[in-house]
Amino acid sequence: MVLHQLCVFSVFSALPTMSRDSRTPVALARLHLVLLAGVVLWTTIVASMKKEDFKTCSQSGFCRRNRAYADMAMTSTDFVSPYKLMTESVLLDDSHVYADIQNTETDVILTLDVHVLQDNTARVRINEKNPLKARYEDHIQYTLVGEPVAQAAQAITKDDAEGRVIITLDPSRSIVIYPSPIRIEFMVDGAPIVSFNDRGLFHFEHLRTKDTHKPKMIEKVNEDGSVEETEAPWESDLWEESFKTWTDPKPNGPESIALDITFHDFAHVYGIPEHASSLSLKETRGGENAYTEPYRLYNTDVFEYAVDSPTSLYGAVPLMVAHRVGASAGVFWMNPSETWVDIIKTKSEPKSSMQKVLSFGKKPAEKTSTKTHWISEAGVLDVFVFFGPSTKDILRQYTRLTGRPVLPQEFSLGYHQCRWNYINQKDVLEVDGQFDAHDMPYDVIWLDIEYTVERKYFTWEKSKFPEPIGMEQALDKKNRKLVVIIDPHIKRQDGYRICDEAKNKLFVKQPSGADYEAWCWPGQSSWVDFHGADAREWWKQQFRFDKFSGTQENVHIWNDMNEPSVFNGPEITMQKEMIHAGNWEHRVLHNLYALLSFAATSDGVKERTGVHKRPFVLTRGFYAGAQRYGAVWTGDNMADWDGLYYSTPMSLTNSMGGIVFTGADVPGFFGNPSQELLVRWYQAAVFQPFFRGHAHIDTKRREPYLSPEPYRSMTRSALRERYALLPYWYTLFFEASKNGTPMMRPMFMEFPDDEALFATEDQFMLGGGIMVKPITAEGAIETDIYFPGNQPWYDCQTFEPVHQTGLNKVDAPLEKIPAYYRGGYIIPRRERVRRNTYSMKLDPFTLVVALDHEASAKLFTCSKMECCKDS
């Protein structure tokens, strides 16, 4: 027998505002407590990413060289890493170890710094001691929120006999530095969890001139059996490199850095967004279902990107997290140049005789370790290691360094309606009115590039938008917002104020010193050099209302094409030899460009008012630290079932990289979705942090109110569910802003000891209290869901309890997305149907109390009312 108890209580609390009910001077907000306790026409567009437009590892000289170096190290029986700690140079203090490292093949001296930092974090830096010129490190000031805080180790000692340095952090954690060859192990309870250079793949290309370069010679066996010395094949392209019709002159020659990092006894690693790939990262050099290319981190504009691929996309966060039962570890490879990451997994049996004895004749369980190889084109080696011990701890440790996620204004958590393009002012207001006419809530309407004059940003095409302020005021009367697009490429045209002010001063330069010019949406364009402080300050000023005429406070900003996208550049981006402020080549900071443009835009929107207000800015390109400034979306996806499926692991992977305010275009950017796909995508997007409908200019209009019945009602229900959950969403955003824990979480983050969930990517947790399983298969009316833990779950629609844990088949008709409350949690909701978030301000709350087996539940709340203000 199944018994349900449904109790409704009325609780009143005074709010300091006037009531809508004229009979009472003060509004009394009623909270409903719902107590749950259970005793028991479509066209398919085939993805057309042009893979030939983007490099493979073999076409990228530094990646090819370092992969070849790894192959030599792994196959040669007598290979020994040439990098040796110079033990006589070791200097110790209470939180820092300094030493020199010698490359015994070249006699080049490197410097090693190992820092102990607060919150179970360590930092390892390796640089040239006497470089020909400085190697790029300026990115640190933009990536980190401040100088990392040192923490005294419990002890730092040097073993004079063996030359080892032992750093004891606390009774359970330590760092051991081995001298010859250099190897660093990060230990927990006496066993390594992370190792540097245990395979000997560390490789640091020192700066040199072409005249002083000594090529690497190898022995070649000829057909007749004779042996001769010849230049290693990977030595080509050191000083000039070609790809298709472009030639990279590489004036500094080879300058790459590479390091192997092993995660011991971790079968799964996650993170390093952005890729349209699986949540648990795949192997790249052999193995089951492996990729043949490394994961690439190089911000690019990929048209109709392929899924299930390690191809680089729009953003790059070189953070990798490993998890297993009882432990987690993380590595942040802080380098904004082009980076490749190889992954292999190896299995090993327990080595100790005691373990073998205790197995009582049974074959001991194999343990899988993940071995990675990180390769960057330039810069210095600067790596943070996070000891965890949980994945939540790692994200707290990471965002302590790179900044906590922004706490946005509540309107940005509602639904956003966009397309390329709403054609004019009348069109915008008509769409706005149709949402109201069909009782569909939304908060923000967007304008793509066609609102401008000839795609000149900060202008309005008056024939289409004759009175932008009037249009914005009409939206503002309903407390709705407008977002307009502003890209970093500026049309080259005399008389265009933005170009006139920036040319010859604030744009990225060619090596000759002239402004860099290439093609993007406006035609011939130049790119703002955000690496320069003057350019950033100038850019911020452009968002002032007296500069960007036709805007007011309810206008917010969208940064697109900021990878940067260059239509006639190699790999659809900027040539690496172009010059930024400080005389730095673009190659050394490529991935940083998007972060700098995003930050300057966000600061500009925030500072345009006398009293600074939290901005809303969306970016496509991103790098580590982007979580401080706003939202990110997964780019130009396809309106197909694969696109819907991968929206979940892509968003989860972004979350594991600290990019928590994330989501995918609904219901896919390219192509015309079926009504079924449209409904399923809206249902899934309800539970993703950023919720925006968007469409390519060539697609049919597909605003949700245009769907025929019954699909329109299904989509309306999805939108209303999003708004009902906004109190819960805002609470999760607040939590993220305090400790970096993402709102959208992999299942293993909440159930870290359940190995069945370590690779699960088709269901996820929204906070700690709701589990979601999007339907991503055409025609599906049921699905399998894994119910973890030992507490009951409750259907979010029917409140029916689920007591049987493990894999269960559940009904999933088109009108329903499987979502479940977790026993032991209280979920705040607002059930009244409103047109937008502002209209809900004084509405009563409904608290859904999902009891656990002990008849208890908990609620996470803001500790201060200030955290809930929208200014």
Side-chain angles (χ1 to χ4, degrees), residues 454-459 485-494 496-503 506-508 515-530 538-539 542-543 561 565 593:
E454 298 176 346
R455 296 168 180 176
K456 292 183 288 189
Y457 303 109
F458 302 101
T459 69
I485 195 169
I486 299 287
D487 292 346
H489 50 262
I490 303 300
K491 184 177 179 66
R492 299 289 303 197
Q493 184 177 92
D494 291 341
Y496 171 31
R497 179 184 66 82
I498 301 295
C499 180
D500 290 344
E501 291 180 6
K503 64 184 178 183
L506 304 175
F507 288 139
V508 177
D515 286 346
Y516 170 65
E517 297 185 34
W519 281 78
C520 207
W521 290 122
Q524 194 75 2
S525 304
S526 288
W527 277 254
V528 177
D529 182 8
F530 294 102
W538 170 82
W539 183 260
Q542 304 315 307
F543 296 97
M561 315 297 286
S565 176
Y593 186 87

Side-chain angles (χ1 to χ4, degrees), residues 176-309:
V176 182
I177 306 171
Y178 295 88
S180 185
I182 180 71
R183 185 172 93 252
I184 305 177
E185 292 190 341
F186 302 84
M187 316 282 286
V188 173
D189 295 328
I193 59 167
V194 173
S195 292
F196 288 3
N197 202 40
D198 69 338
R199 291 189 290 155
L201 307 188
F202 172 57
H203 188 48
F204 197 109
E205 293 184 327
H206 64 278
L207 296 176
R208 70 203 78 178
T209 64
K210 195 171 185 178
D211 292 337
T212 60
H213 173 64
K214 297 179 181 179
K216 175 74 174 179
M217 306 300 291
I218 62 172
E219 291 185 346
K220 177 184 176 183
V221 180
N222 298 317
E223 290 183 1
D224 61 2
S226 62
V227 178
E228 64 175 323
E229 275 203 337
T230 183
E231 186 174 315
W234 58 82
E235 291 278 303
S236 63
D237 300 337
L238 293 180
W239 304 95
E240 184 177 273
E241 189 169 332
S242 296
F243 176 67
K244 300 184 77 170
T245 61
W246 293 276
T247 298
D248 177 3
K250 301 174 68 172
N252 293 319
E255 53 181 320
S256 73
I257 55 175
L259 177 69
D260 59 286
I261 301 176
T262 298
F263 297 89
H264 294 277
D265 298 337
F266 290 95
H268 298 276
V269 292
Y270 314 90
I272 60 169
E274 182 179 39
H275 306 93
S277 182
S278 55
L279 174 63
S280 177
L281 300 176
K282 296 185 178 183
E283 294 182 85
T284 62
R285 305 212 73 180
E288 185 178 354
N289 197 29
Y291 295 136
T292 57
E293 288 291 312
Y295 284 90
R296 191 185 189 198
L297 295 169
Y298 187 64
N299 294 357
T300 48
D301 179 1
V302 184
F303 181 81
E304 295 183 350
Y305 58 79
V307 297
D308 193 15
S309 169

Side-chain angles (χ1 to χ4, degrees), residues 635-652:
D636 299 340
N637 55 353
M638 298 295 297
D640 58 25
W641 291 96
D642 280 345
L644 172 56
Y645 177 88
Y646 277 94
S647 71
T648 295
M650 288 182 73
S651 295
L652 290 171

Side-chain angles (χ1 to χ4, degrees), residues 353-365:
S353 57
M354 181 59 67
Q355 286 175 309
K356 294 178 180 179
V357 169
L358 293 177
S359 66
F360 299 106
K362 297 179 181 178
K363 184 178 180 180

